[in-house]
Amino acid sequence: MKKRVLSIMLCIAMTATMLVGCGGAGSTETTTDVTETTEEAPATEDAAEAPAEDTAAAELDISEPVTLKWYLHGSTVNDDKAVMEKVNEYLGEKLNVTLQPIWGTWGDFDEGATLAINGGDDVDIYFTCSWTTNEYNSFAKKGAWVRLDDPENNLLEKYGSDIWNGLPEVLKTGAAIDGSDGYGVYGLPGFKDFGTQNTWDINVTLLEKYGYTLDDIKNTDYYGFGEILKTVKEGEGPDFYPLLVEGAVLERMVNNSIIVNGDAGSLNVLSYYIDPTDVSKDLGSKIVNKFATDEYKKFVEKTREYYEAGYIDPGCAIKQTANDLRTSKQLSGSYLIGTQSYALGYEIEASAARGIEVAFVPCTPPYVDKTSTQGALMAISTASKNPERAMAFLNLLNTDPYLMTLLEYGVEGIHYDLNADGLVVFNTAERDNYQPWRNGMGNITLLPPQEGEGKDFFTNVFIPYYESAKAIPAFGYQFDSASVETELATLANVGEEYALALSVGAIDPATALPEFLEKLDAAGINTVLDEANAQLEAYFANAQ
């Protein structure tokens, strides 16, 4: 039987001061009506062209011009010329800065960003989070990030107070970690979806073509998808793969396992579990080796069955290209059921981008843990020669609706237009060449809402939705891996050989799973589990 971690309630304090412009995230709501509108008008370019004086940057010396390099994630950007001309004209006036974005994609970011950091490249700002290879906690300990609240040079206080003072407390708490310069803040959290919610990504257009409805998905689970997958596979042909999966996410969706903050990157050696009907329910408080559970065995056996039936593309097992394959299949609508870490309102953007009707069916309610609050941050590199200007840029970006909208959505009249209600309608041809990841830049509440979201999307939908998210039991728990770094490195190598392939069905679990478990034992997984559980017990004891 699976041992699971106790959940506790977290009261999330949201600050209305962040809503300096009516916004619309490119994220998604599965249960709330996002089409409701109010009379309040959204922020527009004209309204944002003359923002209030930037108090946090008032004492900054901007006499010398500076170029800032900014490494982003999740981008589909082929042409940024029109955008960057306007961005750099604006930043030149405000901060004497020229911005050079590096548009990392879902497929190349992990390798590219890690190589840049380890090579000491002159990149000033990196996207980081709890789930990339340049993982926020581990790279803070390695000395890759500037401590933003360093008592000897408090960049947040000097040049970032506008955005920091307006962030929800839960995000500020999540950003505080142990790093190379002590306990503090090493990255600026993005004000985005900060509750985790994994969902089934449904191509409704294709589903209905074969006589099914969303209720057929909602009224079953992963183990009951077989008939639907078989019907669509037979109808669409041998080269069509109806189940589009991201291996690690798929396993968490099916088994309700949760990433432990501070764990070993992509392998997720440490796991604890939630009740999918109530994440705050007490189910125990022990971290386990999920690969050795009966639930994992059942999961990989079913996934292998789906793989052998031709439901899962073999390309999903190739780590280097799996994310790009998944993005391509999503954008072309070449799937039936996919996996998606949910962001409120995303079905609107996804439907428009893919040219199909997209819906998301949640596996759990949204929940909050330290990992989810570290879902997207901007860290200033210790290799940066201009950390002060980098902090001032991040402060401006996250408080200025004009700048955020320009970088996120592009140029009005080229990449998008505003309809009669002031809602964003994208121009497909140009938008296809300029699509940054909306949740990967920062404060999405500054954005004007998209068509279908409603003028008061953030106030009436977004904030209440995430306020309703319950906390997992050890919200503030962060594993300190210092004493088991050798074991974690060895375990990561073992995981590279087996974990992804098992989780997408590409290898036979009858032989591969016992081999995997044997190698995990030999690599010291029990030593890591013992250390993690000792720390977890201490966390709960101190929390009482």
Side-chain angles (χ1 to χ4, degrees):
M1 178 180 294
K2 190 180 294 177
K3 296 181 179 179
R4 311 188 183 207
V5 171
L6 167 71
S7 292
I8 59 173
M9 287 290 291
L10 174 70
C11 181
I12 301 172
M14 303 291 296
T15 43
T17 57
M18 291 302 300
L19 300 179
V20 296
C22 253
S27 20
T28 320
E29 155 62 65
T30 54
T31 58
T32 305
D33 181 5
V34 298
T35 60
E36 179 182 355
T37 61
T38 70
E39 293 304 315
E40 184 179 346
T44 65
E45 180 173 332
D46 291 339
E49 280 182 348
E53 184 68 22
D54 304 305
T55 57
E59 299 178 2
L60 179 66
D61 179 6
I62 61 171
S63 58
E64 295 295 325
V66 162
T67 295
L68 296 178
K69 293 183 180 179
W70 185 25
Y71 211 131
L72 294 129
H73 195 340
S75 316
T76 304
V77 175
N78 302 313
D79 182 359
D80 66 358
K81 183 178 179 181
V83 174
M84 295 313 300
E85 282 181 357
K86 285 187 171 291
V87 166
N88 283 324
E89 178 183 0
Y90 191 66
L91 287 177
E93 295 172 357
K94 302 292 288 185
L95 296 173
N96 203 6
V97 159
T98 298
L99 186 66
Q100 290 184 4
I102 302 169
W103 299 110
T105 71
W106 290 108
D108 67 22
F109 176 86
D110 278 345
E111 181 177 4
T114 304
L115 286 173
I117 295 166
N118 292 338
D121 289 7
D122 60 344
V123 176
D124 297 276
I125 304 167
Y126 287 91
F127 175 91
T128 181
C129 63
S130 56
W131 44 267
T132 49
T133 55
N134 70 335
E135 196 266 334
Y136 177 54
N137 296 271
S138 61
F139 275 70
K141 291 177 181 177
K142 292 176 182 178
W145 314 140
V146 172
R147 180 177 169 184
L148 303 182
D149 62 346
D150 189 329
E152 296 183 5
N153 185 22
N154 194 323
L155 297 178
L156 279 176
E157 186 176 89
K158 291 178 180 178
Y159 313 116
S161 60
D162 294 331
I163 177 59
W164 186 253
N165 292 338
L167 284 173
E169 288 299 321
V170 66
L171 292 180
K172 293 193 278 190
T173 300
I177 60 172
D178 285 312
S180 59
D181 289 326
Y183 187 81
V185 176
Y186 290 80
L188 183 68
F191 191 173
K192 54 180 280 294
D193 58 305
F194 52 82
T196 295
Q197 187 173 31
N198 291 319
T199 63
W200 297 115
D201 174 352
I202 308 300
N203 181 341
V204 178
T205 303
L206 188 60
L207 185 72
E208 293 180 346
K209 174 181 174 180
Y210 288 91
Y212 296 105
T213 70
L214 279 177
D215 285 340
D216 293 307
I217 303 296
K218 294 175 180 177
N219 293 333
T220 188
D221 60 13
Y222 181 65
Y223 299 99
F225 286 164
E227 178 187 339
I228 299 173
L229 295 171
K230 181 176 185 293
T231 299
V232 176
K233 173 74 175 182
E234 290 175 348
E236 295 297 303
D239 295 330
F240 180 81
Y241 300 96
L243 189 57
L244 184 62
V245 300
E246 188 177 0
V249 175
L250 177 64
E251 184 277 328
R252 293 198 293 270
M253 289 173 61
V254 174
N255 287 341
N256 303 303
S257 64
I258 295 180
I259 297 172
V260 174
N261 194 255
D263 194 4
S266 58
L267 177 58
N268 303 137
V269 172
L270 308 176
S271 293
Y272 55 87
Y273 296 82
I274 59 171
D275 184 319
T277 63
D278 183 359
V279 297
S280 66
K281 189 175 180 180
D282 181 357
L283 293 174
S285 57
K286 190 174 180 66
I287 294 172
V288 303
N289 172 7
K290 69 179 177 185
F291 305 111
T293 63
D294 292 339
E295 289 84 356
Y296 186 79
K297 182 173 183 290
K298 178 183 178 183
F299 160 71
V300 294
E301 288 173 345
K302 175 56 72 172
T303 304
R304 178 63 174 175
E305 176 188 320
Y306 286 163
Y307 183 93
E308 290 192 307
Y311 303 155
I312 299 174
D313 193 320
C316 293
I318 303 172
K319 179 181 178 182
Q320 293 79 1
T321 56
N323 279 332
D324 283 341
L325 172 70
R326 179 170 165 268
T327 300
S328 173
K329 295 284 188 180
Q330 285 177 322
L331 289 174
S332 63
S334 302
Y335 73 100
L336 176 69
I337 302 172
T339 54
Q340 183 67 47
S341 183
Y342 183 54
L344 187 65
Y346 182 51
E347 65 264 31
I348 295 169
E349 181 180 357
S351 295
R354 302 175 194 179
I356 57 175
E357 181 183 349
V358 177
F360 296 98
V361 176
C363 296
T364 66
Y367 62 86
V368 180
D369 61 2
K370 192 147 186 165
T371 298
S372 68
T373 64
Q374 295 175 1
L377 305 98
M378 290 298 165
I380 297 175
S381 172
T382 49
S384 173
K385 297 180 177 61
N386 297 286
E388 292 82 5
R389 206 81 63 98
M391 185 73 255
F393 161 70
L394 290 175
N395 185 75
L396 181 64
L397 173 69
N398 285 279
T399 56
D400 187 322
Y402 171 66
L403 182 60
M404 180 62 77
T405 302
L406 184 57
L407 278 161
E408 288 274 22
Y409 287 168
V411 180
E412 183 181 351
I414 298 177
H415 300 95
Y416 73 94
D417 292 301
L418 297 177
N419 67 16
D421 294 321
L423 304 177
V424 169
V425 180
F426 289 111
N427 300 323
T428 304
E430 294 300 328
R431 180 63 172 169
D432 285 348
N433 288 317
Y434 188 80
Q435 289 190 65
W437 176 35
R438 182 162 58 176
N439 282 339
M441 278 193 187
N443 180 9
I444 65 171
T445 69
L446 298 178
L447 297 171
Q450 295 181 26
E451 188 175 41
E453 287 178 333
K455 294 181 181 179
D456 218 12
F457 174 76
F458 284 104
T459 303
N460 288 351
V461 180
F462 182 89
I463 289 177
Y465 185 76
Y466 288 109
E467 279 185 328
S468 73
K470 296 179 180 179
I472 63 164
F475 164 70
Y477 174 70
Q478 179 180 328
F479 177 53
D480 182 354
S481 62
S483 65
V484 289
E485 288 292 352
T486 300
E487 288 86 352
L488 284 175
T490 306
L491 288 166
N493 290 332
V494 174
E496 285 286 329
E497 184 178 358
Y498 292 97
L500 177 60
L502 279 168
S503 294
V504 301
I507 54 178
D508 185 359
T511 55
L513 183 56
E515 292 175 6
F516 186 27
L517 293 175
E518 183 177 347
K519 290 185 179 181
L520 288 174
D521 284 342
I525 192 167
N526 290 320
T527 299
V528 177
L529 289 171
D530 289 345
E531 177 62 23
N533 279 308
Q535 292 182 26
L536 183 64
E537 290 172 8
Y539 170 83
F540 281 120
N542 292 332
Q544 292 177 352

